[in-house]
């Protein structure tokens, strides 16, 4: 079974109970801005328990609990190869975590009983990537005004869509970028505006459920390890993490607050490996990373506010990473006074986007009956 990006073996998933909920007052989150739709009849539900033992049992159970508890990830794609009739997009009706502490130095036993309500299937719904362009991004890293968004190259039936009048048209990418695990196609929002007549065009598409989260943005807690298998996936804003990684599958931004530094890695498709940019080695003696404030964690957009000590004065920058990005979009926060200090600007420029516009994408679902002509 796969829940978004979390995979569980058959022996980790208990018996699946199938039912229907008549609770029409239940709201199902449909995108990572938190918009919702009202359910209007018996809703198919599945209930089961995820069992996590072993040294990483606590971590796996915590990941599942946090993923299913976050509205910015709801509904999640649920892939069940052994029972394809139960697959679909689900929102959690209830999520708990039961822990039995270890005895005689054994590992703790973790259980996550949950009930999921189905929001749709890949036959009844399209995935939708909505946009809400912000054309007032303040920084000194460039002045590019091109608005772009990315979706996995494996997506099918990709169309521009106007959510207001439900007009749609074929969409063609302007670029393909090689990322970890495959390709991401880049689309120009100006093409969507011309195609469907709105300044906030959306993309709708189909994608296999098991691949739904593969090219979304990810946040990791490294747990002090360089081995990726030891990392913990983060699904909600949190503090107190020694090293956080923001990952677009094209770029990784490693934020090491305790050591006052940051590093970046770029995906090298020629070697199929991550290549270090070298920021840590080029860090100015007058600049340190003072604080990392993880603001938003969602499926296609993560944001953190980074505060730097620049020669004895604090200066904050927002760091924005959208799906398909191969650079960080830095911006001066509303309550910060620019310009960006020169030493900081020079240090971050190798990974900084030149764009002064932000599409502010949000991933959700749209029912086929809202797309039909």
């Amino acid at each position: 079974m796969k829940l978004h990006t979390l995979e569980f073996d058959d022996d980790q998933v208990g018996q699946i109970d199938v039912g229907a909920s008549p609770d029409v007052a239940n709201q199902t989150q449909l995108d990572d801005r938190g918009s919702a739709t009202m359910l209007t009849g018996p809703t198919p539900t599945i209930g089961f328990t995820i069992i996590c033992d072993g040294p990483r049992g606590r971590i796996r159970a915590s990941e599942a609990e946090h993923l299913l508890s976050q509205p910015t990830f709801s509904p999640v794609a649920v892939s069940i190869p052994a029972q394809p009739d139960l697959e679909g997009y689900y929102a959690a009706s209830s999520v708990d975590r039961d822990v039995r502490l270890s005895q005689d130095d054994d590992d703790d036993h973790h259980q996550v009983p949950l009930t999921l309500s189905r929001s749709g299937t890949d036959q009844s719904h399209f995935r939708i990537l909505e946009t809400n362009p912000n054309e007032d991004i303040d920084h000194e890293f460039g002045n590019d005004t091109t608005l772009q968004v990315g979706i996995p190259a494996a997506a099918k039936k990709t169309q521009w869509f106007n959510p207001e009048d439900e007009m749609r048209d074929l969409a063609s990418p302007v670029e393909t970028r090689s990322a970890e695990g495959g390709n991401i196609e880049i689309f120009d929002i100006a093409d969507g505006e011309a195609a469907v007549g709105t300044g906030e065009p959306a993309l709708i598409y189909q994608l296999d459920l098991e691949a739904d989260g593969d090219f979304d943005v990810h946040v990791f807690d490294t747990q002090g390890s360089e081995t990726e298998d030891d990392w913990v996936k983060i699904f909600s804003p949190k503090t107190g993490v020694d090293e956080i990684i923001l990952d677009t599958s094209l770029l990784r931004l490693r934020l090491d607050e305790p050591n006052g530094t940051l590093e970046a890695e770029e995906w090298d498709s020629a070697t199929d490996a991550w290549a270090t940019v070298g920021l840590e080695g080029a860090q100015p003696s007058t600049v340190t990373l003072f604080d990392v404030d993880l603001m938003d964690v969602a499926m296609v957009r993560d944001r953190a506010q980074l505060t730097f000590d620049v020669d004895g004065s604090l200066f904050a920058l927002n760091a924005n990473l959208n799906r398909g990005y191969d650079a960080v979009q830095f911006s001066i926060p509303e309550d910060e006074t620019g310009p960006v200090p020169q030493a900081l600007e020079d240090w971050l420029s190798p990974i900084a986007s030149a764009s002064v516009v932000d599409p502010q994408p949000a991933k959700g679902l749209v029912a086929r009956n809202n797309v039909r002509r």
Side-chain angles (χ1 to χ4, degrees):
M1 175 182 288
K2 189 173 185 181
L3 310 175
H4 185 52
T5 57
L6 302 181
E7 296 187 57
F8 298 95
D9 296 333
D10 290 345
D11 61 0
Q12 294 179 294
V13 179
Q15 175 180 312
I16 300 177
D17 298 320
V18 182
S21 168
D23 183 9
V24 298
N26 182 40
Q27 289 185 325
T28 299
Q29 299 293 335
L30 283 192
D31 66 33
D32 41 3
R33 291 195 193 103
S35 63
T37 189
M38 193 74 73
L39 301 177
T40 56
T43 304
T45 64
I46 55 175
F48 55 93
T49 297
I50 297 173
I51 303 165
C52 301
D53 293 321
R56 286 181 57 82
R58 177 188 61 82
I59 290 173
R60 298 303 315 283
S62 177
E63 288 177 335
E65 178 192 11
H66 290 159
L67 166 65
L68 295 169
S69 300
Q70 293 305 312
T72 54
F73 285 87
S74 181
V76 298
V78 178
S79 172
I80 314 173
Q83 295 181 278
D85 58 308
L86 300 181
E87 295 183 323
Y89 303 103
Y90 285 85
S93 301
S94 65
V95 184
D96 297 296
R97 180 151 59 108
D98 301 327
V99 182
R100 188 179 71 225
L101 298 179
S102 63
Q103 301 292 326
D104 300 326
D105 296 326
D106 289 335
D107 294 313
D108 293 342
H109 177 76
H110 296 259
Q111 292 190 154
V112 184
L114 49 87
T115 302
L116 305 180
S117 299
R118 190 157 70 185
S119 302
T121 70
D122 53 1
Q123 287 82 42
S124 67
H125 286 69
F126 284 106
R127 268 301 189 189
I128 183 169
L129 188 70
E130 297 181 279
T131 64
N132 180 28
N134 177 3
E135 301 184 3
D136 189 25
I137 303 298
D138 184 17
H139 61 68
E140 279 78 47
F141 297 103
N143 56 9
D144 185 6
T145 58
T146 305
L147 280 163
Q148 295 182 329
V149 291
I151 64 172
K156 297 172 289 188
K157 300 182 181 179
T158 305
Q159 303 158 72
W160 290 112
F161 178 64
N162 184 336
E164 296 297 323
D165 63 11
E166 299 177 1
M167 181 178 179
R168 57 191 172 96
D169 201 355
L170 291 174
S172 298
V174 296
E175 182 185 353
T176 299
R177 295 174 181 170
S178 296
E180 183 183 26
N183 293 329
I184 298 176
E185 291 185 333
I186 305 300
F187 293 79
D188 193 321
I189 289 180
D191 292 343
E193 183 174 357
V196 295
T198 176
E200 300 179 1
L203 282 168
I204 59 174
Y205 58 94
Q206 287 186 328
L207 188 64
D208 292 342
L209 288 167
E210 63 269 20
D212 184 81
D214 288 353
F215 292 102
D216 286 357
V217 292
H218 307 296
V219 182
F220 298 101
D221 174 356
T222 67
Q223 301 276 292
S225 174
E226 290 297 321
T227 302
E228 191 168 341
D229 289 343
D230 295 334
W231 299 354
V232 178
K233 294 179 180 178
I234 296 176
F235 297 104
S236 61
K238 62 185 298 187
T239 59
V241 177
D242 284 349
E243 184 182 41
I244 290 177
I245 292 181
L246 307 181
D247 185 346
T248 71
S249 297
L250 291 155
L251 179 79
R252 280 178 172 170
L253 181 62
R254 305 178 68 119
L255 304 169
D256 186 355
E257 181 184 305
N259 291 310
T261 190
L262 59 80
E263 184 54 274
E265 298 171 342
E266 297 172 333
W267 180 252
D268 186 342
S269 58
T271 61
D272 282 337
W274 289 98
T276 301
V277 173
L279 294 179
E280 188 172 2
Q283 183 171 355
S285 60
T286 57
V287 179
T288 58
L289 178 61
F290 180 80
D291 180 70
V292 176
D293 181 5
L294 193 56
M295 296 189 293
D296 298 314
V297 181
M299 289 186 281
V300 295
R301 175 180 170 83
D302 292 329
R303 292 197 311 144
Q305 184 165 108
L306 311 180
T307 301
F308 298 89
D309 179 342
V310 183
D311 202 17
S313 298
L314 296 181
F315 187 85
L317 278 176
N318 291 339
N320 206 30
L321 285 92
N322 294 341
R323 184 171 67 184
Y325 276 27
D326 56 7
V328 181
Q329 185 171 53
F330 292 108
S331 63
I332 300 173
E334 183 179 350
D335 294 329
E336 181 61 273
T337 302
V340 180
Q342 191 63 52
L344 182 59
E345 179 185 345
D346 292 343
W347 184 37
L348 298 179
S349 61
I351 60 166
S353 169
S355 177
V356 292
V357 291
D358 177 9
Q360 300 189 131
K363 176 180 166 182
L365 289 179
V366 62
R368 277 183 169 271
N369 59 14
N370 290 331
V371 175
R372 295 178 189 139
R373 291 177 172 169

